[in-house]
Amino acid sequence: MTEIKILKNILDENRHRADDNRQVFNKHGILALNFIASPGAGKTTLLEKTIFGLKDRLNFAVIEGDITGDYDARRLAALGIPVVQINTEGGCHLDAGMVHRAYQDFRLDKVDILAVENVGNLVCPAEFDLGEAFKVVVLSVPEGDDKPAKYPLIFSEAGAVIFSKIDLLKAVNFGLDKARADVRRINREAPIFELSAATGQGMGEWLEWLSGKVESMKGDEAG
Ligand SMILES: Nc1nc2c(ncn2[C@@H]2O[C@H](COP(=O)(O)OP(=O)(O)OP(=O)(O)O)[C@@H](O)[C@H]2O)c(=O)[nH]1
Ligand SMILES: [Mg+2]
């Protein structure tokens, strides 16, 4: 029983901090996104291509979550945007407190989209709200079309789902219809994008949808 209480306290405290983060992001008109996927699903590559595609129109900042090292942070900093690396030193997810400390380094009035790349993991990050507007859950097709059915919690929480590495579809025998239907059973709302950050296929639709989200958020503020 004690263990259950401790976990509840951790999650309650995280929720309060996440609400504080959300207030800060809203105050500054920032669309905060929490990118979640298995290791190697293509989060950083997708972020590189997303930032490259929109950076003339929108200002990005990135918080990179990794167990150790700063490989991904260096890849994204090469695009000339502000990046903060968090190392969890073994932890399998980011929490709202870590994100709070990380964004102190940014000039928030200059940020339109704050992208958080969570630690590669399809399970642990599901429980920890960071204060994001929504979670972007990325499933690369080599991982298999059964993953939405096997890891339903994270797909149920997604504000957008991306089937990535679609260029590998034929080679890995991923059933798009099955995966789509399984996501829909779990999550009625989230748009599902099918794209390849490597070839650019499907990227246009994702970028258009994302910039529309920023516009509607800024519109809500003005109104
Ligand atoms: N074929 C193909 N390969 C891709 C695509 N996107 C990423 N990759 C490759 O997949 C591998 C992992 O990509 P990353 O972007 O580093 O994946 P990640 O999810 O950020 O990985 P972690 O941060 O370590 O969890 C790299 O070798 C990429 O080149 C894609 O659209 N198609
Ligand atoms: Mg990465």
Side-chain angles (χ1 to χ4, degrees):
M1 292 310 281
T2 316
E3 273 179 33
I4 292 169
K5 256 193 194 151
I6 290 168
L7 180 62
K8 186 177 177 303
N9 288 346
I10 290 171
L11 290 175
D12 281 349
E13 191 183 324
N14 185 72
R15 200 165 302 119
H16 290 311
R17 284 171 183 251
D19 287 341
D20 290 345
N21 289 350
R22 194 170 286 107
Q23 266 185 22
V24 172
F25 301 148
N26 287 343
K27 185 174 132 209
H28 291 275
I30 294 171
L31 184 72
L33 308 174
N34 181 2
F35 284 78
I36 299 176
S38 303
K43 298 177 290 301
T44 309
T45 311
L46 175 66
L47 278 173
E48 284 173 328
K49 296 296 165 71
T50 300
I51 292 163
F52 186 77
L54 294 177
K55 77 185 171 98
D56 292 342
R57 284 191 275 153
L58 296 170
N59 295 313
F60 283 82
V62 175
I63 296 175
E64 266 300 331
D66 281 294
I67 288 175
T68 188
D70 64 354
Y71 299 98
D72 287 356
R74 280 192 276 127
R75 282 170 65 184
L76 292 163
L79 294 166
I81 55 153
V83 182
V84 170
Q85 175 79 55
I86 299 173
N87 281 150
T88 60
E89 308 294 347
C92 58
H93 62 86
L94 296 177
D95 65 37
M98 295 174 189
V99 167
H100 173 85
R101 288 189 290 281
Y103 69 69
Q104 306 307 316
D105 280 16
F106 297 138
R107 291 188 55 190
L108 294 178
D109 51 336
K110 299 265 184 229
V111 177
D112 298 309
I113 296 184
L114 172 62
V116 180
E117 180 177 340
N118 219 311
V119 179
N121 192 304
L122 219 44
V123 180
C124 308
E127 305 244 35
F128 285 82
D129 183 2
L130 305 180
E132 69 274 359
F134 55 88
K135 295 177 172 64
V136 180
V137 176
V138 182
L139 171 65
S140 66
V141 298
E143 292 168 68
D145 55 21
D146 56 351
K147 295 304 171 289
K150 289 178 74 175
Y151 300 87
L153 179 59
I154 194 61
F155 287 92
S156 73
E157 298 224 328
V161 173
I162 293 183
F163 296 153
S164 66
K165 307 193 188 180
I166 209 84
D167 54 298
L168 301 178
L169 196 60
K170 288 224 168 69
V172 296
N173 203 19
F174 182 94
L176 266 182
D177 288 345
K178 173 188 166 32
R180 264 197 233 108
D182 284 348
V183 170
R184 237 344 128 244
R185 248 190 299 281
I186 299 160
N187 185 326
R188 287 164 171 267
E189 304 279 328
I192 302 170
F193 298 93
E194 297 154 16
L195 57 80
S196 166
T199 66
Q201 182 190 342
M203 281 296 295
E205 204 182 321
W206 156 246
L207 295 181
E208 203 176 303
W209 180 81
L210 191 56
S211 43
K213 282 279 170 196
V214 175
E215 270 164 39
S216 60
M217 188 193 58
K218 305 252 184 217
D220 286 350
E221 270 172 32

